[in-house]
Every structure is written in C-alpha cells, then in structure tokens.
Amino acid sequence: MNGPDFFDKASLITAHDEGNAFDAVVPPIVQTSLFTFPNYDEMLETYRGEKVRPTYTRGLNPTVRMFEEMLAKLEGAEDAIGFASGMSAISSAVLSFVEPGDRIVAVRHIYPDAFRLFGTLLARMRIEVTYVDGRDEAAVASALPGAKLFYMESPTSWVMEAHDIGALAALAKSRGIPTIIDNSWASPVFQRPLSLGVDVVVHSASKYLGGHSDVVAGVVAGSKGLIGRIRGEAYPYLGGKLSPFDAWLLIRGLRTLPIRMRAHQASGLEIARRLQDHPIVEKVCHPGLANLLPAGLTGTSGLFSFVFRDGIDIRTFADRLKLFKLGVSWGGHESLIVPGEVVLQQKAQPNSAMAFGVHPRSVRLHVGLEGTEALWSDLEAAIDASEEKT
Ligand SMILES: *Cc1c(COP(=O)(O)O)cnc(C)c1O
C-alpha cells in the first residue's frame, strides 16, 4: 500500500545471483531430471548426507531452489518448498499434520477444492473437519480444543470474509495446535502470516505469484522444523514436485509482484466502490470497502465478488463483456468473471457450492491490469445491456 514497504520487498526479489552462469541477469533453467557424480566418494558423501548437492530433480533442483529461497524471503520464512500445484502444496502440508481419527478446525468458505479434499480423501482416512466462521473468535476458541490442526484462509474464497489472523493464530497457539493458512489472495506483499504467528503458509502460485496465467504451481513456507517435516515424507512420496521450467516462470513473475499487486489493488478497489454505488448492485464483497482492514492485512488484491439486485439478466451481462472474459482462476494480467449461478450448477459436487456461500445472483470478478477506466466502461455497458433486456 505505502511506497517504502513495496520497495523494501522489491529488493528481495530483484537482486540476481552473481554466481549464475555467464553472470546472467535471468538465471538459467536447469532442465534436467538427474545430476551425475564425478566419482564414487562424492556419491557416497551425498548419500551419507555429508554433502548437500542435487542428485535427482524430485529432491533438489537449483532453479526450483532459487524460487523457494525468494519466496521464503518474501514470507519471512526460514524455508519453503515448491509444488506442482496449489492443491499439491495444500494436501502435502495438511497430510503432514494429521493421522486417522484426528479432527481439523477450518474457517468456512475455504477454496472449494481444499473443501473437497477434506470431504473426500481426508474423510476416508476418518479425519473430521469442523467449519467455523473465522470472524467469530469465540466460535473458533470453542471449536479448537482437541483439534490437531487449524486451517485458515483469509480473505476466504468468493465471499471474502477477512479475519484477524494474529488473534486466531494466538488462540491455536495457546492450545498447542499448529496453523496453516492459504495466503494466495493477499500474497506476501499485503499479508505476511508468519509474522502474525501462523506456522505454515501455502499458496497457489498459479495466481499472483506467477502473475501471467502461464503456470500451475504451489508453495509452502514456514520454519525449518515444520518445512522439514513436510520435506521428509509428503513432499517426496506424494511427489508433487515443481518443475524447473515452472520455477523459472515463477522467478520471472516474482520480480514484478509488488508493482502488479499495487495495480490490482488500485483498480480493484475503485471498481468495487463504483459497483457499490450502482443502483443495480445489492452488495459488494470486498474487504477494502470496510472502514478498516483486519490487523495484518496491509492491502487488497483484484479478486472480489458482488451480488446483483433482482431483475438482471446475468447471461446477457456475461456475454456482453469484452475485456472481462468468462474463466476460472485469477491472479494474471487479464480480467475475468465467474457467474455464481454457473458455479451452483457444477455437476461434480452438486451441493458443495452452497457451502462456499455462493449467491445465485453473485458474480466473482478478477480485476486485471487493463486499466480502471477501460474496465469500468466494459462493466457499465454490459450492465446497461442486461438491464434493458429485463
Ligand atoms: C486456485 C487456488 C488454489 C489451488 O491452487 P492450484 O494451483 O489451482 O492447485 C488454492 N487456494 C486458493 C485460494 C486458490 O484460489
């Protein structure tokens, strides 16, 4: 939000490694599955753990490691691990903390596929999940006793409920319960959960970290001890390894993360305010419209939702938009919409969309980098067209 903060963080990601081949500003992609040893003794030392060097890319790859170190610095973490997707990061992290018979407490309206992971694979392992409104600290406090893990996301998916992360993390800490948070929405530019007392941060790097809609990836960050626990079992044996090329794309994406986030924030907030003032809009779910952001959240991104009043043809609205494309995901340069009434008809999991708080007259917007006025004209024209029809 404020200048100095951005540029402090920017220095963490713009510095390049002088040790790179040819002093290249952009690091080479070490696109290899394995690394050979010059002799028997070096292989033996490596296997004995006396020497740390790449052996096989599912374990350690220099390009992936460079991304992990940059992300760890941004989150203020001791260590990080890259994954092949956000879901791979989430499942590996969660499975490192629970066993059959355990109970997890989760905030409600988490990312739908995380909700489905909990309701399918984890349920089959007899792991139970209690959902609570993360804005209700008393409800969180009464759900926590006996839980093995507290799973957070703030702001939450679709309805964007924002929480006082520090307060919630303290409630879990006082009971010795480890905490994981999905920080994809705010990115480390606007929210650094480890500094607020959360134990482990997960990201869908497919969103803002990558920033160009050309990579699916994930990352987990935290202390050496907790990341070591994930690195020891779930990471190698579930095997959701981040590829060197995707890591290289993420390194490229991170260079511009702070300035992209500033642009998404400015356009997103302006469009949210104009929608809120528009007579056809019933409600806008954007944490930046409250008088105060929750403690620890220092800015807002470009993803939010709003609910139309009765009497709008959402199909016409969607088809009339030119800059906003119909599409899932978010965090790239492009503006996107997802109509709630479509999500509610998702065949694979008919009932689960209700659990995410999706209103049938709602629309989720991702405000990209096309420019506020152009995007607003696009929205206004589509709204006018869909009002005329009804
Ligand atoms: C997209 C998303 C995920 C899943 O990430 P993938 O990279 O698609 O596996 C997790 N959490 C949130 C909040 C997301 O938006």
Side-chain angles (χ1 to χ4, degrees):
M1 215 162 153
N2 21 47
D5 222 25
F6 266 97
F7 294 106
D8 283 354
K9 282 168 194 159
S11 68
L12 295 175
I13 50 177
T14 51
H16 71 275
D17 175 6
E18 266 82 37
N20 280 336
F22 314 113
D23 286 331
V25 169
V26 176
I29 309 173
V30 185
Q31 187 72 33
T32 182
S33 61
L34 74 130
F35 301 81
T36 58
F37 298 90
N39 53 51
Y40 180 100
D41 279 343
E42 186 160 336
M43 192 170 193
L44 183 63
E45 275 176 72
T46 306
Y47 270 74
R48 281 180 169 162
E50 293 157 10
K51 184 179 176 119
V52 177
R53 47 149 286 169
T55 298
Y56 184 57
T57 280
R58 177 153 51 81
L60 177 61
N61 173 283
T63 315
V64 174
R65 191 60 196 149
M66 186 173 173
F67 163 69
E68 290 169 344
E69 284 172 358
M70 284 168 81
L71 193 280
K73 277 190 207 161
L74 280 172
E75 285 288 4
E78 287 174 357
D79 200 0
I81 312 175
F83 284 89
S85 68
M87 279 313 299
S88 173
I90 291 170
S91 54
S92 295
V94 168
L95 286 169
S96 299
F97 289 94
V98 289
E99 48 188 81
D102 283 350
R103 191 170 63 88
I104 298 174
V105 174
V107 297
R108 66 177 190 177
H109 308 326
I110 56 171
Y111 177 67
D113 279 346
F115 177 84
R116 293 175 187 129
L117 165 73
F118 293 173
T120 56
L121 289 175
L122 263 58
R124 229 181 285 159
M125 292 169 65
R126 290 184 292 110
I127 294 162
E128 193 192 312
V129 184
T130 311
Y131 291 94
V132 287
D133 181 345
R135 297 166 305 179
D136 183 347
E137 284 163 33
V140 173
S142 65
L144 281 174
K148 282 290 165 61
L149 179 66
F150 182 35
Y151 185 87
M152 306 156 80
E153 181 179 322
S154 180
T156 57
S157 290
W158 204 279
V159 287
M160 310 290 150
E161 286 174 359
H163 310 141
D164 184 336
I165 289 170
L168 297 186
L171 290 174
K173 187 147 278 170
S174 70
R175 291 165 180 82
I177 301 167
T179 45
I180 297 180
I181 190 166
D182 183 332
N183 198 32
S184 307
W185 187 90
S187 92
V189 172
F190 290 142
Q191 184 162 266
R192 299 175 94 207
L194 301 176
S195 72
L196 303 170
V198 177
D199 295 310
V200 173
V201 173
V202 296
H203 281 279
S204 169
S206 325
K207 312 295 165 53
Y208 286 125
L209 301 184
H212 296 74
S213 302
D214 51 11
V215 58
V216 170
V219 65
V220 173
S223 68
K224 273 206 161 69
L226 293 179
I227 295 303
R229 189 199 285 207
I230 299 167
R231 197 186 288 290
E233 288 177 358
Y235 166 72
Y237 307 144
L238 294 177
K241 174 73 190 182
L242 177 62
S243 80
F245 182 58
D246 286 346
W248 184 86
L249 287 171
L250 291 174
I251 292 166
R252 187 273 313 261
L254 286 184
R255 309 285 191 196
T256 55
L257 179 66
I259 55 167
R260 284 187 288 110
M261 292 309 291
R262 185 165 46 180
H264 287 296
Q265 164 167 257
S267 275
L269 203 49
E270 182 58 28
I271 287 173
R273 287 195 181 115
R274 292 185 192 180
L275 283 171
Q276 195 175 37
D277 291 342
H278 198 290
I280 196 69
V281 172
E282 185 173 303
K283 179 169 96 169
V284 180
C285 304
H286 185 305
L289 296 178
N291 289 333
L292 214 61
L293 289 177
L297 183 64
T298 60
T300 56
S301 71
L303 185 77
F304 64 96
S305 67
F306 67 95
V307 182
F308 277 119
R309 285 189 201 288
D310 237 345
I312 185 131
D313 182 13
I314 294 180
R315 175 180 277 114
T316 303
F317 168 74
D319 287 345
R320 199 45 200 265
L321 288 166
K322 293 201 163 55
L323 292 176
F324 283 89
K325 304 290 182 197
L326 279 158
V328 295
S329 194
W330 46 273
H333 47 83
E334 76 286 13
S335 291
L336 295 166
I337 66 153
V338 181
E341 58 189 16
V342 172
V343 171
L344 288 166
Q345 291 181 46
Q346 191 169 12
K347 224 176 178 167
Q349 297 277 337
N351 297 320
S352 54
M354 300 304 274
F356 314 140
V358 177
H359 189 287
R361 286 198 313 277
S362 66
V363 173
R364 192 186 75 179
L365 288 189
H366 179 250
V367 176
L369 304 175
E370 295 91 338
T372 315
E373 296 310 326
L375 290 171
W376 180 248
S377 304
D378 197 29
L379 284 170
E380 260 192 327
I383 290 173
D384 288 349
S386 36
E387 276 184 305
E388 280 159 18
K389 260 197 95 175
T390 54

